[in-house]
Every structure is written in structure tokens, then in C-alpha cells.
Amino acid sequence: MLKPKQCIEQVRDYHAPVEGPQPELRLDLNESTTGCSPRVLAKIRSMSAKKLALYPPREPGEKLVADFLGLAPEQLMLSNGADEGIDLLERAYVETGDEVLFSVPGFPMYEIFGRSAGGTVVKVPAGDDYSFPLSRMLESITRKTRVIVICNPNNPTGIAVQKSAILQLLQAAPDAAVLVDEAYFEFYGESMLDQVGKIPNLFLARTFSKAYGLAGVRLGVLCGPGEQIRAIRKIASPFNVNGIALECLEEALADKEFVTSYVSQVKKTRAWLIEQLEALGFKCWPSHANFVLCRIGENKKAVLSGLRARGIGLRDRPDCEGCVRITIGTQAEMERVITEIQQVTGKRPAERVAR
Ligand code: PMP
């Protein structure tokens, strides 16, 4: 019988919650519920049949993003979502048996891409309260470590990693590609961008899926030293980024005000949501992203299904005991979430429980 490569047999099935009937309010994938800039939408609508018939060149888009980020075009490549950038990076550096290191709870694709590249996955458990396990990460570096991924801020906890911790890892593993996944950068504001090209093993991944509200067009950026990006380009399709995504780019970058105002709404609403959830007695982790990790406790399954029946999808995080991850939507959407949680649990704000 035909068999896929052995390493693929070890890759677990991953199902994003986009299959099957969808809740009316999807708060389980950290998408923007606001959508993209109207300028981007107008640009897409203006596309001609002729343009859609052409293979899209990536280069002009890469020049735009390079200018926006203050990098040279050869220090980045556009990707089909940040996902593809992570995949390409792991494929470029991991040989069979090499180690891919990251902390857990974390983003599941690091493992899937690492294993499919033939790598061995080393998952380092987070510290108390899901803090970044710097010393355990440092201790886990071996001669075989070829990729280290640091998700900053981390999904699903929203916790940020200090620059000094990232720098220590970069120094401790000079033969490993260290990828800082900054998918949620806009909600946090701190970045390693100013070090790209200066530190020879530093890579950065960014995405247009979150703050730009463009998850559906699939557009990401992988940044790193020019000579390394040149190697990674060799294994990517020349047309990995679709023409609609490339068409959007200029307007998406130009409409700074749209992103700024969306990000500030999310931050405000995030603080409000955390306060409300805590008033109901649920522990929340301080988040630097567009989602919040919340410990519902034993009642979690009932809360998830109760909200689902009321048209709201939250993300179960079985890797964080008793927790769900809630995407921050508009203020009105979050008010609805709080009302429905109160309905399902019977809790009222006055009922503070000991933590
Ligand atoms: N990294 C992290 C930490 C993410 O949470 C996600 C998406 N949820 C991605 C990367 C991938 O994003 P994209 O849509 O750009 O592929």
C-alpha cells in the first residue's frame, strides 16, 4: 500500500474550527470581527478579469513591505499567511532528526511543520502561570537544535516574552534559526524588527490576518538575514502569494488609521472583557494580543456548548486546564458574550469567588 513519508505518520490531524456549521459569532480563531479597511475592499472590487488571469509578481509587494518595515527587500519574503513562512523556515533548516524547540502551550503549527520536515519536536512546558520558560528553553538546546520558535505574544496565553530572553536564546543557539512569531505584534507593540539582519540567526514572522483583518486573503511576511532569506526563497513557489492578496497590500499598508483605531478598540475592549470575566470569578491572563485566555473551570464544556447554542463560538484549550480562548470582537459583541456567559453559568458580577 502507498505510504506517506514516515515522519508524516507522526503528524497529528489538525482541524481548525472552520469545518461544519459555523456559529454566528466566531470568536475561536482570533480573526477580526470588524473586517478589513474599506480601502482594501474597494481595491479588491476594482480588480479586472484580465488582472486575475495573470500570475502575480511578488516583488513589487515585497518592496512595499520592505519600505514599510524599514528593511531591504532581500531581507524578507511574502508568504501565504504566516503559516507558510513558518513552514518554509522549518523545511529550510531542519534535517531528519534535528530538533525544533518551542514552549507549550503554544501554536500547533510549529509542531506540525517541524515533524513534516523530519524533525524531532522538543516541547518545553511553560512556567508558573504560563510564564515563558527561559531557563528550561536554554537547558533544552542541544547540538541538534536547528529551529527555535518564540511566539511573542504567545498564543493561546497572550503573554509577552522579554527581549532580553529572546536575545539570550539567539546567543545560546548560534546554529539554530530562531524565529520570533509576531503574528499579534500590532496589539503588543514590541518587536525584534530592529535586530533583523544584525543578528545572523534571527527571523521574524508577521501576518495580515489579525490587525489588518485579512485572514481570508492569506498574506504573511517572513523577515531575516538576506543570505538566509535567499535560501528560503529557493523552496517556495514563485506564486505562493495570490494576486488578490498582492493587490490589497498597498492600501492595507497605507490605511494606517484603520489599523490604529481597530487595535485601540481591541485593547480597550480587552481590558473591559477581562474585568467583567474576573468580576464573574473567572481567572484571565493579562493579554498582549487580540484574545484572552480565561479559566472557566470544571464547567467549561457546558459553557462552551451553551454559548455555541446561543450562536457564539469560543475556543476550547484542552492544553490549558479548564481554559477557553476568547477572541476580542467589538464592544457590543463582548457585551453579548458576558450576558450569555451569565445566562449559561447563572453567575452574577457580585459573586466573586476566591482564586
Ligand atoms: N502564528 C500564530 C501565533 C498564530 O496564532 C497564527 C494564526 N492563528 C499564525 C501564526 C498564522 O497566521 P496566518 O493566518 O498568517 O497564517
Side-chain angles (χ1 to χ4, degrees), residues 254-311:
D255 199 352
K256 290 199 171 86
E257 205 196 303
F258 175 84
V259 177
T260 309
S261 98
Y262 170 64
V263 166
S264 97
Q265 177 264 307
V266 165
K267 286 182 176 172
K268 227 166 104 189
T269 306
R270 180 178 71 195
W272 181 87
L273 181 75
I274 291 176
E275 201 181 288
Q276 298 296 311
L277 289 166
E278 288 184 342
L280 292 174
F282 300 120
K283 178 185 167 80
C284 291
W285 277 260
S287 171
H288 295 278
N290 67 341
F291 55 81
V292 167
L293 187 73
C294 172
R295 180 161 283 152
I296 301 289
E298 287 172 358
N299 223 358
K300 177 172 80 165
K301 291 280 174 212
V303 170
L304 281 169
S305 61
L307 262 78
R308 182 100 192 173
R310 290 163 157 81

Short mmCIF file of all heavy atoms in Angstrom, two decimals, residues 254-311:
data_model
loop_
_atom_site.label_atom_id
_atom_site.label_comp_id
_atom_site.label_asym_id
_atom_site.label_seq_id
_atom_site.Cartn_x
_atom_site.Cartn_y
_atom_site.Cartn_z
N ALA A 254 -1.23 51.46 3.59
CA ALA A 254 -1.44 52.91 3.58
C ALA A 254 -2.49 53.35 4.60
O ALA A 254 -2.39 54.42 5.19
CB ALA A 254 -1.85 53.36 2.18
N ASP A 255 -3.50 52.51 4.82
CA ASP A 255 -4.58 52.92 5.73
C ASP A 255 -4.18 52.65 7.19
O ASP A 255 -4.76 51.81 7.89
CB ASP A 255 -5.88 52.18 5.37
CG ASP A 255 -7.10 52.89 5.96
OD1 ASP A 255 -6.90 53.83 6.76
OD2 ASP A 255 -8.23 52.49 5.64
N LYS A 256 -3.20 53.40 7.61
CA LYS A 256 -2.64 53.22 8.97
C LYS A 256 -3.70 53.53 10.02
O LYS A 256 -3.76 52.92 11.08
CB LYS A 256 -1.45 54.15 9.18
CG LYS A 256 -0.24 53.76 8.37
CD LYS A 256 1.01 54.42 8.97
CE LYS A 256 2.29 53.91 8.37
NZ LYS A 256 2.72 54.57 7.14
N GLU A 257 -4.53 54.51 9.70
CA GLU A 257 -5.52 54.94 10.67
C GLU A 257 -6.52 53.82 11.00
O GLU A 257 -6.95 53.66 12.14
CB GLU A 257 -6.26 56.15 10.11
CG GLU A 257 -6.82 57.01 11.22
CD GLU A 257 -7.86 57.96 10.69
OE1 GLU A 257 -7.49 58.72 9.77
OE2 GLU A 257 -9.01 57.92 11.16
N PHE A 258 -6.84 53.05 9.96
CA PHE A 258 -7.77 51.93 10.16
C PHE A 258 -7.19 50.94 11.18
O PHE A 258 -7.87 50.54 12.14
CB PHE A 258 -8.04 51.23 8.82
CG PHE A 258 -8.89 50.00 8.98
CD1 PHE A 258 -10.28 50.11 9.02
CD2 PHE A 258 -8.32 48.74 9.12
CE1 PHE A 258 -11.07 48.98 9.21
CE2 PHE A 258 -9.11 47.62 9.31
CZ PHE A 258 -10.48 47.74 9.35
N VAL A 259 -5.94 50.58 10.98
CA VAL A 259 -5.31 49.58 11.87
C VAL A 259 -5.16 50.16 13.27
O VAL A 259 -5.50 49.50 14.26
CB VAL A 259 -3.93 49.13 11.30
CG1 VAL A 259 -3.24 48.17 12.25
CG2 VAL A 259 -4.12 48.47 9.94
N THR A 260 -4.72 51.42 13.35
CA THR A 260 -4.53 52.04 14.66
C THR A 260 -5.84 52.08 15.44
O THR A 260 -5.88 51.77 16.63
CB THR A 260 -4.00 53.49 14.49
OG1 THR A 260 -2.90 53.43 13.62
CG2 THR A 260 -3.59 54.10 15.80
N SER A 261 -6.91 52.45 14.75
CA SER A 261 -8.16 52.60 15.51
C SER A 261 -8.74 51.23 15.88
O SER A 261 -9.26 51.05 16.97
CB SER A 261 -9.15 53.52 14.76
OG SER A 261 -10.07 52.76 14.05
N TYR A 262 -8.58 50.25 15.00
CA TYR A 262 -9.03 48.89 15.34
C TYR A 262 -8.25 48.33 16.55
O TYR A 262 -8.82 47.80 17.49
CB TYR A 262 -8.91 47.97 14.12
CG TYR A 262 -9.12 46.52 14.44
CD1 TYR A 262 -10.36 46.06 14.90
CD2 TYR A 262 -8.09 45.60 14.34
CE1 TYR A 262 -10.55 44.72 15.23
CE2 TYR A 262 -8.28 44.27 14.66
CZ TYR A 262 -9.50 43.84 15.10
OH TYR A 262 -9.68 42.52 15.44
N VAL A 263 -6.93 48.51 16.49
CA VAL A 263 -6.08 47.99 17.57
C VAL A 263 -6.45 48.67 18.89
O VAL A 263 -6.55 48.02 19.94
CB VAL A 263 -4.58 48.16 17.23
CG1 VAL A 263 -3.70 47.94 18.46
CG2 VAL A 263 -4.18 47.22 16.11
N SER A 264 -6.70 49.96 18.84
CA SER A 264 -7.00 50.64 20.12
C SER A 264 -8.38 50.22 20.64
O SER A 264 -8.56 50.07 21.85
CB SER A 264 -6.80 52.15 19.98
OG SER A 264 -8.00 52.79 19.75
N GLN A 265 -9.32 49.98 19.74
CA GLN A 265 -10.62 49.44 20.19
C GLN A 265 -10.44 48.06 20.84
O GLN A 265 -11.01 47.79 21.91
CB GLN A 265 -11.60 49.36 19.00
CG GLN A 265 -12.97 48.75 19.33
CD GLN A 265 -13.06 47.26 19.00
OE1 GLN A 265 -12.77 46.87 17.87
NE2 GLN A 265 -13.48 46.45 19.94
N VAL A 266 -9.63 47.22 20.21
CA VAL A 266 -9.43 45.87 20.75
C VAL A 266 -8.81 45.94 22.15
O VAL A 266 -9.25 45.25 23.08
CB VAL A 266 -8.56 45.01 19.79
CG1 VAL A 266 -8.03 43.75 20.48
CG2 VAL A 266 -9.34 44.64 18.54
N LYS A 267 -7.83 46.81 22.30
CA LYS A 267 -7.16 46.90 23.61
C LYS A 267 -8.13 47.37 24.69
O LYS A 267 -8.12 46.87 25.82
CB LYS A 267 -5.98 47.88 23.52
CG LYS A 267 -4.79 47.32 22.78
CD LYS A 267 -3.71 48.37 22.83
CE LYS A 267 -2.42 47.94 22.23
NZ LYS A 267 -1.49 49.06 22.15
N LYS A 268 -8.96 48.34 24.33
CA LYS A 268 -9.92 48.87 25.29
C LYS A 268 -10.95 47.80 25.68
O LYS A 268 -11.25 47.56 26.85
CB LYS A 268 -10.66 50.06 24.67
CG LYS A 268 -10.73 51.26 25.57
CD LYS A 268 -11.16 52.49 24.81
CE LYS A 268 -12.62 52.80 25.11
NZ LYS A 268 -13.15 53.85 24.25
N THR A 269 -11.46 47.14 24.64
CA THR A 269 -12.47 46.11 24.87
C THR A 269 -11.88 44.91 25.61
O THR A 269 -12.55 44.29 26.44
CB THR A 269 -13.09 45.68 23.52
OG1 THR A 269 -13.56 46.85 22.86
CG2 THR A 269 -14.22 44.71 23.70
N ARG A 270 -10.62 44.63 25.34
CA ARG A 270 -9.94 43.51 26.02
C ARG A 270 -9.88 43.79 27.52
O ARG A 270 -10.18 42.90 28.34
CB ARG A 270 -8.52 43.40 25.42
CG ARG A 270 -7.66 42.31 25.99
CD ARG A 270 -6.32 42.29 25.28
NE ARG A 270 -5.47 43.44 25.64
CZ ARG A 270 -4.39 43.82 24.96
NH1 ARG A 270 -4.00 43.17 23.90
NH2 ARG A 270 -3.68 44.85 25.37
N ALA A 271 -9.52 45.00 27.89
CA ALA A 271 -9.45 45.35 29.31
C ALA A 271 -10.84 45.24 29.94
O ALA A 271 -10.99 44.72 31.06
CB ALA A 271 -8.90 46.77 29.47
N TRP A 272 -11.84 45.68 29.22
CA TRP A 272 -13.22 45.61 29.73
C TRP A 272 -13.64 44.16 29.92
O TRP A 272 -14.20 43.79 30.96
CB TRP A 272 -14.18 46.32 28.74
CG TRP A 272 -15.60 46.30 29.20
CD1 TRP A 272 -16.22 47.20 30.01
CD2 TRP A 272 -16.59 45.31 28.88
NE1 TRP A 272 -17.52 46.84 30.22
CE2 TRP A 272 -17.78 45.68 29.54
CE3 TRP A 272 -16.58 44.14 28.11
CZ2 TRP A 272 -18.96 44.92 29.45
CZ3 TRP A 272 -17.74 43.38 28.02
CH2 TRP A 272 -18.92 43.78 28.69
N LEU A 273 -13.36 43.32 28.91
CA LEU A 273 -13.77 41.91 28.99
C LEU A 273 -13.10 41.20 30.17
O LEU A 273 -13.76 40.48 30.93
CB LEU A 273 -13.42 41.18 27.67
CG LEU A 273 -13.83 39.71 27.65
CD1 LEU A 273 -15.34 39.57 27.46
CD2 LEU A 273 -13.10 38.93 26.56
N ILE A 274 -11.80 41.45 30.33
CA ILE A 274 -11.08 40.80 31.43
C ILE A 274 -11.70 41.21 32.77
O ILE A 274 -11.94 40.38 33.65
CB ILE A 274 -9.56 41.15 31.37
CG1 ILE A 274 -8.93 40.46 30.16
CG2 ILE A 274 -8.84 40.74 32.66
CD1 ILE A 274 -7.46 40.79 29.91
N GLU A 275 -11.98 42.50 32.88
CA GLU A 275 -12.59 43.00 34.12
C GLU A 275 -13.93 42.31 34.39
O GLU A 275 -14.21 41.88 35.52
CB GLU A 275 -12.81 44.50 33.93
CG GLU A 275 -12.96 45.30 35.18
CD GLU A 275 -13.18 46.76 34.80
OE1 GLU A 275 -12.21 47.40 34.36
OE2 GLU A 275 -14.32 47.21 34.93
N GLN A 276 -14.73 42.17 33.37
CA GLN A 276 -16.05 41.54 33.52
C GLN A 276 -15.92 40.06 33.88
O GLN A 276 -16.63 39.57 34.75
CB GLN A 276 -16.86 41.67 32.22
CG GLN A 276 -17.16 43.08 31.80
CD GLN A 276 -18.05 43.80 32.80
OE1 GLN A 276 -19.07 43.27 33.21
NE2 GLN A 276 -17.65 44.98 33.20
N LEU A 277 -15.01 39.37 33.20
CA LEU A 277 -14.84 37.94 33.46
C LEU A 277 -14.32 37.73 34.89
O LEU A 277 -14.76 36.82 35.59
CB LEU A 277 -13.89 37.32 32.44
CG LEU A 277 -14.45 37.18 31.01
CD1 LEU A 277 -13.33 36.87 30.01
CD2 LEU A 277 -15.53 36.09 30.94
N GLU A 278 -13.40 38.61 35.29
CA GLU A 278 -12.86 38.48 36.65
C GLU A 278 -13.95 38.78 37.68
O GLU A 278 -14.01 38.14 38.73
CB GLU A 278 -11.64 39.38 36.81
CG GLU A 278 -10.47 38.78 36.04
CD GLU A 278 -9.15 39.54 36.19
OE1 GLU A 278 -9.17 40.70 36.62
OE2 GLU A 278 -8.11 38.93 35.86
N ALA A 279 -14.81 39.73 37.36
CA ALA A 279 -15.91 40.05 38.29
C ALA A 279 -16.86 38.86 38.42
O ALA A 279 -17.54 38.69 39.44
CB ALA A 279 -16.66 41.28 37.81
N LEU A 280 -16.89 38.01 37.40
CA LEU A 280 -17.72 36.80 37.49
C LEU A 280 -16.97 35.66 38.18
O LEU A 280 -17.51 34.57 38.33
CB LEU A 280 -18.16 36.36 36.08
CG LEU A 280 -19.14 37.30 35.36
CD1 LEU A 280 -19.37 36.82 33.93
CD2 LEU A 280 -20.47 37.40 36.10
N GLY A 281 -15.72 35.93 38.52
CA GLY A 281 -14.95 34.92 39.26
C GLY A 281 -14.05 34.06 38.40
O GLY A 281 -13.51 33.07 38.86
N PHE A 282 -13.88 34.44 37.12
CA PHE A 282 -13.03 33.64 36.24
C PHE A 282 -11.66 34.28 36.11
O PHE A 282 -11.54 35.48 35.83
CB PHE A 282 -13.66 33.54 34.84
CG PHE A 282 -15.01 32.90 34.84
CD1 PHE A 282 -16.12 33.59 34.37
CD2 PHE A 282 -15.19 31.61 35.31
CE1 PHE A 282 -17.38 33.01 34.36
CE2 PHE A 282 -16.44 31.01 35.30
CZ PHE A 282 -17.55 31.72 34.84
N LYS A 283 -10.64 33.45 36.28
CA LYS A 283 -9.27 33.97 36.12
C LYS A 283 -8.97 34.22 34.65
O LYS A 283 -9.31 33.41 33.79
CB LYS A 283 -8.27 32.94 36.66
CG LYS A 283 -6.82 33.37 36.50
CD LYS A 283 -5.87 32.26 36.95
CE LYS A 283 -4.44 32.55 36.50
NZ LYS A 283 -3.74 33.50 37.34
N CYS A 284 -8.31 35.35 34.36
CA CYS A 284 -7.88 35.66 32.99
C CYS A 284 -6.39 35.96 33.03
O CYS A 284 -5.89 36.48 34.02
CB CYS A 284 -8.59 36.90 32.46
SG CYS A 284 -10.33 36.64 32.16
N TRP A 285 -5.72 35.68 31.93
CA TRP A 285 -4.30 36.03 31.83
C TRP A 285 -4.18 37.40 31.16
O TRP A 285 -4.93 37.69 30.22
CB TRP A 285 -3.54 34.95 31.04
CG TRP A 285 -3.18 33.81 31.94
CD1 TRP A 285 -1.97 33.59 32.52
CD2 TRP A 285 -4.05 32.77 32.41
NE1 TRP A 285 -2.03 32.47 33.32
CE2 TRP A 285 -3.30 31.94 33.27
CE3 TRP A 285 -5.39 32.44 32.20
CZ2 TRP A 285 -3.82 30.83 33.91
CZ3 TRP A 285 -5.92 31.33 32.83
CH2 TRP A 285 -5.14 30.54 33.68
N PRO A 286 -3.27 38.23 31.67
CA PRO A 286 -3.11 39.56 31.04
C PRO A 286 -2.64 39.37 29.60
O PRO A 286 -1.61 38.74 29.37
CB PRO A 286 -2.01 40.22 31.89
CG PRO A 286 -1.33 39.11 32.60
CD PRO A 286 -2.29 37.97 32.71
N SER A 287 -3.40 39.86 28.65
CA SER A 287 -3.10 39.55 27.25
C SER A 287 -2.53 40.74 26.51
O SER A 287 -2.96 41.87 26.68
CB SER A 287 -4.37 39.10 26.55
OG SER A 287 -4.15 39.00 25.16
N HIS A 288 -1.56 40.45 25.64
CA HIS A 288 -1.00 41.46 24.74
C HIS A 288 -1.45 41.22 23.31
O HIS A 288 -0.82 41.69 22.37
CB HIS A 288 0.53 41.44 24.82
CG HIS A 288 1.05 41.83 26.17
ND1 HIS A 288 1.18 43.13 26.56
CD2 HIS A 288 1.42 41.08 27.23
CE1 HIS A 288 1.64 43.19 27.79
NE2 HIS A 288 1.79 41.95 28.23
N ALA A 289 -2.52 40.43 23.14
CA ALA A 289 -2.96 40.07 21.78
C ALA A 289 -4.46 40.37 21.62
O ALA A 289 -5.05 41.03 22.47
CB ALA A 289 -2.65 38.60 21.53
N ASN A 290 -5.05 39.87 20.54
CA ASN A 290 -6.47 40.16 20.32
C ASN A 290 -7.37 39.02 20.84
O ASN A 290 -8.41 38.71 20.25
CB ASN A 290 -6.76 40.41 18.83
CG ASN A 290 -6.56 39.17 17.98
OD1 ASN A 290 -5.89 38.22 18.42
ND2 ASN A 290 -7.13 39.14 16.79
N PHE A 291 -6.91 38.40 21.92
CA PHE A 291 -7.69 37.34 22.54
C PHE A 291 -7.35 37.28 24.02
O PHE A 291 -6.35 37.89 24.45
CB PHE A 291 -7.39 35.97 21.88
CG PHE A 291 -5.92 35.65 21.89
CD1 PHE A 291 -5.30 35.13 23.01
CD2 PHE A 291 -5.14 35.89 20.76
CE1 PHE A 291 -3.94 34.86 23.03
CE2 PHE A 291 -3.77 35.63 20.77
CZ PHE A 291 -3.18 35.11 21.90
N VAL A 292 -8.17 36.55 24.75
CA VAL A 292 -7.93 36.42 26.18
C VAL A 292 -8.08 34.95 26.57
O VAL A 292 -9.02 34.28 26.12
CB VAL A 292 -8.95 37.27 26.98
CG1 VAL A 292 -8.93 36.91 28.45
CG2 VAL A 292 -8.65 38.75 26.80
N LEU A 293 -7.15 34.46 27.36
CA LEU A 293 -7.27 33.10 27.90
C LEU A 293 -7.98 33.22 29.25
O LEU A 293 -7.57 34.01 30.10
CB LEU A 293 -5.89 32.48 28.08
CG LEU A 293 -5.90 31.01 28.49
CD1 LEU A 293 -6.31 30.10 27.33
CD2 LEU A 293 -4.52 30.58 29.00
N CYS A 294 -9.03 32.43 29.40
CA CYS A 294 -9.87 32.56 30.59
C CYS A 294 -10.13 31.18 31.18
O CYS A 294 -10.48 30.24 30.45
CB CYS A 294 -11.19 33.22 30.18
SG CYS A 294 -12.42 33.25 31.49
N ARG A 295 -9.94 31.06 32.49
CA ARG A 295 -10.18 29.76 33.14
C ARG A 295 -11.62 29.68 33.61
O ARG A 295 -12.01 30.34 34.57
CB ARG A 295 -9.20 29.54 34.28
CG ARG A 295 -9.42 28.20 34.97
CD ARG A 295 -8.22 27.76 35.78
NE ARG A 295 -7.16 27.23 34.94
CZ ARG A 295 -5.86 27.26 35.23
NH1 ARG A 295 -5.47 27.81 36.36
NH2 ARG A 295 -4.97 26.74 34.41
N ILE A 296 -12.38 28.86 32.92
CA ILE A 296 -13.79 28.67 33.27
C ILE A 296 -13.92 27.62 34.37
O ILE A 296 -14.81 27.65 35.20
CB ILE A 296 -14.60 28.23 32.02
CG1 ILE A 296 -14.50 29.27 30.89
CG2 ILE A 296 -16.05 27.92 32.36
CD1 ILE A 296 -15.23 30.56 31.12
N GLY A 297 -12.99 26.65 34.34
CA GLY A 297 -13.02 25.60 35.36
C GLY A 297 -13.79 24.38 34.91
O GLY A 297 -13.94 24.12 33.71
N GLU A 298 -14.29 23.65 35.89
CA GLU A 298 -14.95 22.35 35.62
C GLU A 298 -16.12 22.47 34.67
O GLU A 298 -16.47 21.53 33.96
CB GLU A 298 -15.49 21.78 36.94
CG GLU A 298 -14.43 21.26 37.85
CD GLU A 298 -14.99 20.88 39.21
OE1 GLU A 298 -16.21 21.06 39.42
OE2 GLU A 298 -14.20 20.40 40.03
N ASN A 299 -16.72 23.60 34.70
CA ASN A 299 -17.94 23.85 33.93
C ASN A 299 -17.68 24.13 32.45
O ASN A 299 -18.61 24.43 31.70
CB ASN A 299 -18.59 25.11 34.53
CG ASN A 299 -20.06 24.95 34.67
OD1 ASN A 299 -20.60 23.93 34.28
ND2 ASN A 299 -20.71 25.97 35.20
N LYS A 300 -16.43 24.03 32.06
CA LYS A 300 -16.03 24.53 30.74
C LYS A 300 -16.86 23.97 29.58
O LYS A 300 -17.34 24.72 28.73
CB LYS A 300 -14.55 24.25 30.52
CG LYS A 300 -14.08 24.67 29.15
CD LYS A 300 -12.60 24.56 29.00
CE LYS A 300 -12.15 23.16 28.72
NZ LYS A 300 -10.76 23.12 28.24
N LYS A 301 -17.04 22.65 29.58
CA LYS A 301 -17.76 22.03 28.44
C LYS A 301 -19.17 22.59 28.33
O LYS A 301 -19.65 22.88 27.23
CB LYS A 301 -17.81 20.50 28.58
CG LYS A 301 -16.47 19.85 28.41
CD LYS A 301 -16.11 19.70 26.93
CE LYS A 301 -14.69 19.16 26.78
NZ LYS A 301 -13.97 19.62 25.60
N ALA A 302 -19.82 22.73 29.48
CA ALA A 302 -21.19 23.24 29.48
C ALA A 302 -21.23 24.68 28.99
O ALA A 302 -22.14 25.08 28.24
CB ALA A 302 -21.78 23.14 30.89
N VAL A 303 -20.22 25.46 29.39
CA VAL A 303 -20.19 26.86 28.95
C VAL A 303 -19.95 26.93 27.44
O VAL A 303 -20.64 27.66 26.71
CB VAL A 303 -19.10 27.66 29.72
CG1 VAL A 303 -18.88 29.03 29.13
CG2 VAL A 303 -19.49 27.76 31.20
N LEU A 304 -19.00 26.12 26.96
CA LEU A 304 -18.72 26.13 25.52
C LEU A 304 -19.96 25.73 24.72
O LEU A 304 -20.31 26.39 23.74
CB LEU A 304 -17.58 25.16 25.19
CG LEU A 304 -16.16 25.67 25.48
CD1 LEU A 304 -15.14 24.55 25.38
CD2 LEU A 304 -15.78 26.79 24.51
N SER A 305 -20.63 24.66 25.16
CA SER A 305 -21.80 24.22 24.37
C SER A 305 -22.99 25.15 24.57
O SER A 305 -23.74 25.40 23.62
CB SER A 305 -22.14 22.75 24.63
OG SER A 305 -22.47 22.60 25.98
N GLY A 306 -23.11 25.72 25.76
CA GLY A 306 -24.20 26.67 26.00
C GLY A 306 -24.04 27.91 25.11
O GLY A 306 -25.00 28.40 24.52
N LEU A 307 -22.81 28.40 25.03
CA LEU A 307 -22.58 29.58 24.18
C LEU A 307 -22.76 29.24 22.71
O LEU A 307 -23.30 30.03 21.94
CB LEU A 307 -21.20 30.19 24.45
CG LEU A 307 -21.31 31.36 25.42
CD1 LEU A 307 -21.46 30.92 26.84
CD2 LEU A 307 -20.18 32.33 25.25
N ARG A 308 -22.31 28.07 22.37
CA ARG A 308 -22.45 27.61 20.98
C ARG A 308 -23.93 27.58 20.59
O ARG A 308 -24.31 28.03 19.50
CB ARG A 308 -21.81 26.23 20.88
CG ARG A 308 -21.81 25.63 19.54
CD ARG A 308 -20.45 25.82 18.89
NE ARG A 308 -20.57 25.48 17.48
CZ ARG A 308 -19.64 25.64 16.59
NH1 ARG A 308 -18.50 26.18 16.93
NH2 ARG A 308 -19.83 25.31 15.34
N ALA A 309 -24.76 27.07 21.50
CA ALA A 309 -26.21 27.00 21.22
C ALA A 309 -26.78 28.41 21.07
O ALA A 309 -27.81 28.60 20.44
CB ALA A 309 -26.90 26.25 22.35
N ARG A 310 -26.10 29.38 21.67
CA ARG A 310 -26.55 30.78 21.55
C ARG A 310 -25.82 31.53 20.44
O ARG A 310 -25.84 32.75 20.39
CB ARG A 310 -26.34 31.49 22.90
CG ARG A 310 -27.29 31.01 23.98
CD ARG A 310 -26.77 31.43 25.35
NE ARG A 310 -27.83 31.48 26.34
CZ ARG A 310 -28.30 30.42 26.97
NH1 ARG A 310 -27.81 29.22 26.70
NH2 ARG A 310 -29.27 30.55 27.86
N GLY A 311 -25.14 30.78 19.58
CA GLY A 311 -24.54 31.38 18.39
C GLY A 311 -23.13 31.93 18.56
O GLY A 311 -22.64 32.66 17.71
#
